[in-house]
Structure formats: structure tokens, C-alpha cells
Amino acid sequence: MSPSASDPGPRFAVVGNPENRRVTLFGDAVRAAGLAAPRIVAWTDVLRAGGAEFGAEEIVRIDSPGENAEVDRLLRGAQDPTRVEGSARWYAGFMAALRGLGGGVRLDDPDDLPVFFDKRRCHAVLDAAGVPVPDSPTSGPEAAPVRGWDDVRALMREHRMPRLFIKPAHGSSASGVLAVESGGGGRIRATTSVERAADDRLYNSLKVRRYEREADIATVVDALAPDGLHLERWLPKASQEGRAADLRVVVVAGRATHAVVRTSRSPLTNLHLGGRRGDLDAARQAVEAAGAHWTDLLGVCERAAACFPRTLCVGVDLLPAVGWRRAAVGEVNAFGDLLPRLTGLPGSGAEGLDTYATQVAAALRRFAPGRPTAASHHQYREGNPHALARPDA
């Protein structure tokens, strides 16, 4: 659809932090499609005004509120954005802000975002749908409460989980995550990016550290527990060049379109914590050499995304098992598409396109040939959510 004076084409709007590269990259993709630059609605304005309204013709993208100290202060009330505590308040503030957004045609489903940002709820949805996930005692109808370290220890014994991940229920970017290993003789160790200050306040650090005194681990967990905690069995992961490996797979309109391998010498593969990108071709070859199919691993990610069919794009953290034959889903991320300069997987229909251009193309297929209207959005929500699952359809 080419723009003209009489028909300028669909209009995009983005709720985000204007200075953030996520917003910039999406705006670049919209302009590259021959459309006007998207209207940017700053998170600071949304939070101070209690919401924002969009025109019926606007296609609305909700982007991350992260990496902005003032937005973090408005959501969490903390003056220092490096503090770990306060994720429950952040979640409540973010959900309230989302409820204040009205009108427009959303690229996400408003009912999905509260699930993405509660690891317990997201795990339960995936598990109920038969998507492979690590065992967890903190999700689903029989979810156990975690009020502190004593509860964690009891659940470790009850569920025979000597190795597990402890995650803040509303955390992101590995904030507050502890990879805990226990052994005979009372030995225990936690690997984490949490830095414990002298006053016992907790801070995010770019340095991964280990706590080997149970009292220190208990202090950290007890401080995080009021915000809500999610426990998952630690699954041994495949390796690449002697480093633990997992994948971030972006799924757009039901199709796995982009993927990166992340490797690390620690259990935390996040790139900002010292992880590095691995070799995707080598990972695909390892899968095939093990007698499995690469498309089956990507299919696990598509099955996870299918649990949220009315959200255009998600980032899936895929945990390949030792030997590369099987994989489980660690998390589904609402804002997991920041993979600059990465183009689409062969055969995905997104070859030559980055994650943002792929989403713009999928959105235009979905909402234009005609102008997007409330009626057409309702028809999509009530109809076949996978009608445009293939970007080349």
C-alpha cells in the first residue's frame, strides 16, 4: 500500500521512551515501509496523566518502559534504578498504566501483558497447553507460596530440586535471579548478578558473583520474597565450545523468524552479564547431528507463542537440553525483539528483514489493505489468529 496525498496509509503509534533505541529502530522500520513516522507517546506522559488515547486508525505498539530512570521512579518509587527490590510495585504501576490506554488497534493483547510479566502465570499457561517447561512448584492451581528462604528450602526437599532457579515473579533481564546448587554436607552456592550492600539493600550488577554461605543466600531471598518469587528446576543445558547455551527466538505472527544463540560460562546467559552470541549454524548442525529436527525446536517456540495468539510478536527463551535433541521454554518475553541488525531465518519469510521490519510488514498485512478500524480489529480478535502466520502468505 503506497502513501498518497489523499490516502496517507495506516498510522503507527508507539508507547515508549522516546530516547530509547527500541523506539528508534521501530520508527526506522515504519519509515522504510514508506509510511509516516510513528507518533511517539512517552511513558512519562502516560504515567503522569494516568493513560493515553489513540485514534481508531492508529496501530499501537507498546514498547518497553525500561532504561529510563524517571519512568522507573514513577513505577517503583525508587530513586536508584539499579535497586532490585520493588518489582511488585513496578508491576502494579505498569499494569495500571496499561489499563489507562484507550482506542487504536493494538499489536499486543491487553490480557496477555499481565501474564508475560508474571512468571508464575506465564509458566502455568504454557504448562497447561503442553509446552515443555521446567518443573515448578510455584505455578498452576497447586502453586506453593514462597515467603522466604525457609519455604524455598522446604520446596527443594519436597520436590527433589537440589538445583533450581529462583526468579522474581515480575523481574526482567535476570534482575534478582539466583541459580542455586546444593550438595552433600550442607554445601550450597548461588550464582547471581545481585550485589548485596553493607546495609543489606540489593543492587543489580554487571558482574556475576557467587554466594556460598547459606545465611547470605537467605538474606537475599528473604529480601526479594515480598515481591513474589517463582522457582524452576534447573535443567542441564546444551553447550557450545564449552559454554552453556540457550536461544532467544523471536516469533512474529505465529512464525519463528529470528534467533540468536547465547552462551556463557555462568548459568546466566544474558549478554549484558558477560554472555556472548554463539554460532547459530553450529547449533542447527548439532540438532541435526543428534537426530532431531531444527524445525521441531523452532516449533516449540511457535507453540509457546500460540498460547498468546492475539499478540503479534514475542521473544521466547529456549533451553536446549544436553545433546541438543530436546528443548524447553524458559520464558516468553513481551519485549524480546531487540536484536539489532539481525535478519530473518532462512525459510521464515523474513529473510533480509530485521525484527522490526518483520513486525511492520506483518502488521500491514493484518490491518491494511483497508484502514484499520475497531470492527476489523474485533474481527481479527474473534477470528483465526493464525491467518497471517506466514510472513510470505
Side-chain angles (χ1 to χ4, degrees):
M1 184 175 185
S2 59
S4 67
S6 60
D7 183 5
R11 293 297 306 267
F12 282 89
V14 179
V15 182
N17 296 324
E19 77 286 355
N20 194 279
R21 57 179 174 163
R22 295 172 179 271
V23 173
T24 300
L25 290 168
F26 186 77
D28 290 345
V30 171
R31 287 189 292 273
L35 302 174
R39 179 167 74 96
I40 309 301
V41 180
W43 273 118
T44 50
D45 294 339
V46 171
L47 293 168
R48 288 169 179 154
E53 289 294 323
F54 299 91
E57 78 287 355
E58 288 186 296
I59 302 174
V60 182
R61 170 183 170 87
I62 307 300
D63 218 324
S64 171
E67 301 180 31
N68 182 294
E70 178 61 12
V71 172
D72 187 74
R73 186 189 68 79
L74 291 169
L75 287 173
R76 290 199 304 144
Q79 297 298 324
D80 188 340
T82 65
R83 287 287 298 278
V84 179
E85 304 97 324
S87 59
R89 179 171 174 174
W90 180 96
Y91 179 78
F94 186 42
M95 294 304 110
L98 291 171
R99 290 192 295 270
L101 303 178
V105 178
R106 294 275 290 268
L107 295 183
D108 64 280
D109 185 80
D111 293 333
D112 288 346
L113 288 170
V115 179
F116 293 141
F117 287 95
D118 188 326
K119 299 182 194 303
R120 299 162 300 191
R121 294 179 63 186
C122 191
H123 184 282
V125 168
L126 297 172
D127 192 33
V131 176
V133 289
D135 293 339
S136 171
T138 55
S139 76
E142 305 299 324
V146 182
R147 293 155 297 207
W149 178 244
D150 288 344
D151 285 343
V152 172
R153 267 303 206 181
L155 290 169
M156 290 173 67
R157 290 191 296 268
E158 180 181 348
H159 293 271
R160 298 182 180 178
M161 297 171 63
R163 303 171 80 236
L164 77 161
F165 280 86
I166 303 173
K167 303 179 179 182
H170 311 299
S172 62
S173 302
S175 175
V177 173
L178 296 91
V180 176
E181 307 167 80
S182 61
R187 291 179 294 111
I188 194 161
R189 178 173 68 183
T191 304
T192 180
S193 63
V194 174
E195 180 179 358
R196 180 184 164 206
D199 60 1
D200 285 338
R201 293 184 179 183
L202 307 181
Y203 295 86
N204 286 304
S205 171
L206 296 179
K207 177 184 177 182
V208 175
R209 65 198 68 232
R210 290 186 172 90
Y211 295 102
E212 297 187 342
R213 293 179 61 246
E214 184 162 0
D216 294 332
I217 300 170
T219 297
V220 173
V221 171
D222 288 345
L224 295 175
D227 286 321
L229 292 175
H230 176 58
L231 311 184
E232 289 182 349
R233 187 180 300 278
W234 180 340
L235 300 180
K237 289 192 290 190
S239 63
Q240 190 174 95
E241 297 184 353
R243 298 164 63 90
D246 63 18
L247 291 90
R248 166 63 59 83
V249 180
V250 176
V251 181
V252 179
R255 188 83 180 271
T257 58
H258 299 74
V260 293
V261 177
R262 306 180 301 185
T263 71
S264 177
R265 296 200 181 281
S266 87
L268 308 176
T269 58
N270 302 72
L271 300 182
H272 71 285
L273 296 178
R276 69 186 186 205
R277 287 194 181 185
D279 188 328
L280 188 64
D281 287 336
R284 182 166 41 237
Q285 292 166 11
V287 171
E288 301 291 343
H293 298 285
W294 177 247
T295 53
D296 289 343
L297 262 68
L298 296 181
V300 172
C301 300
E302 293 174 350
R303 288 168 56 195
C307 295
F308 311 98
R310 293 184 291 273
T311 291
L312 182 72
C313 174
V314 296
V316 179
D317 290 344
L318 189 69
L319 315 177
V322 172
W324 292 96
R325 286 184 58 84
R326 297 181 306 279
V329 171
E331 296 184 15
V332 179
N333 304 275
F335 307 132
D337 55 1
L338 182 60
L339 300 173
R341 299 178 298 280
L342 182 73
T343 54
L345 294 165
S348 69
E351 297 90 340
L353 301 178
D354 69 10
T355 60
Y356 298 103
T358 301
Q359 291 172 72
V360 170
L364 293 177
R365 287 187 181 92
R366 182 168 290 173
F367 300 118
R371 292 291 187 86
T373 64
S376 64
H377 188 220
H378 176 76
Q379 183 179 27
Y380 162 65
R381 286 174 59 95
E382 300 300 326
N384 178 7
H386 296 296
L388 297 170
R390 287 185 174 270
D392 55 346

